[in-house]
Amino acid sequence: MSVAFVAASRLPTRHGTFMIHAFEDPETGKEHVALVMGDVADGEPVLMRVHSECLTGDGFGSLRCDCGPQLEAAMGKVAEAGRGVILYLRQEGRGIGLLNKIRAYHLQDQGADTVEANEQLGFAPDLREYSMCEDMLAHLGVTSVRLMTNNPRKVAALESHGIAVIERVPLMTGRNPHNEQYLDTKQDKMGHMLGKK
């Protein structure tokens, strides 16, 4: 998959002013964006998060996941550093889409965990892919990154697309009574490094 750059603009936020770069996948029509602060094309490793869209967490403040707090924390860390990138990828619900995510939530309400719910719907636990990151980072002139993630599979996925991950930066935030089981499942069944247990 390759994505094409569309346009860029200033984006003032409560964390400071970013440049937002828009990209489109011509095959699927999916749109992705990069939030950029500072000079990221100077050859030095760039603090970065790859964040998959989560309308419920990012937009509605859902406590069922840690997505919203992770996005906020990543934007804050980039602003604090004065330099960094957040790739915001439109692959809701670990790639199953918003409506199927709500279906999975319904199954979780009945007692399934997040992995079991996806599997009961006929999906793999995680359908996300990261090939678009290569083109997005190439456009930005980024050659190596310090990746804010708790997911070692994300590190491996980016490296498989030729992106040099110099360091994994833990992003521990957002745990609450509503998502304890969800986060424990991510650690136990999906290998996320959440520093608990």
Side-chain angles (χ1 to χ4, degrees):
M1 181 198 298
S2 62
V3 293
F5 171 70
V6 177
S9 172
R10 287 176 66 256
L11 186 72
T13 76
R14 60 180 164 269
H15 298 287
T17 299
F18 290 81
M19 287 295 293
I20 184 167
H21 297 251
F23 299 84
E24 183 179 24
D25 179 342
E27 285 184 22
T28 65
K30 279 204 170 179
E31 303 154 339
H32 310 286
V33 297
L35 296 180
V36 181
M37 186 177 281
D39 179 7
V40 297
D42 61 2
E44 293 297 312
V46 174
L47 183 65
M48 182 178 82
R49 173 155 177 83
V50 177
H51 190 90
S52 294
E53 179 180 37
C54 176
L55 176 64
T56 49
D58 302 339
F60 300 146
S62 169
L63 297 177
R64 293 187 75 133
C65 61
D66 55 345
C67 303
Q70 283 194 318
L71 179 60
E72 282 290 315
M75 291 178 70
K77 286 179 181 294
V78 166
E80 189 179 312
R83 176 178 177 273
V85 173
I86 296 170
L87 300 185
Y88 193 89
L89 309 180
R90 305 296 298 279
Q91 40 188 4
E92 179 81 46
R94 294 202 300 273
I96 66 174
L98 179 61
L99 299 185
N100 282 320
K101 182 167 92 169
I102 305 304
R103 291 185 178 105
Y105 277 176
H106 175 72
L107 292 173
Q108 290 171 42
D109 289 343
Q110 314 306 311
D113 67 33
T114 183
V115 168
E116 293 164 349
N118 274 29
E119 290 173 342
Q120 286 174 30
L121 291 172
F123 299 110
D126 193 341
L127 290 174
R128 291 175 297 178
E129 66 97 26
Y130 301 97
S131 60
M132 71 289 279
C133 298
E134 186 176 356
D135 289 339
M136 294 170 78
L137 292 176
H139 172 80
L140 299 173
V142 173
T143 54
S144 62
V145 301
R146 298 172 54 236
L147 187 66
M148 291 183 279
T149 186
N150 303 321
N151 184 356
R153 293 182 189 182
K154 195 177 285 186
V155 174
L158 292 181
E159 288 178 334
S160 76
H161 290 290
I163 297 161
V165 180
I166 304 303
E167 179 187 0
R168 183 187 70 83
V169 179
L171 200 59
M172 305 291 190
T173 185
R175 183 178 282 270
N176 69 73
H178 300 280
N179 66 22
E180 285 279 349
Q181 183 193 5
Y182 166 78
L183 294 177
D184 289 346
T185 299
K186 286 211 298 187
Q187 177 165 308
D188 296 342
K189 292 189 174 182
M190 303 178 76
H192 288 226
M193 301 174 76
L194 299 175
K196 198 159 163 64
K197 295 185 178 179

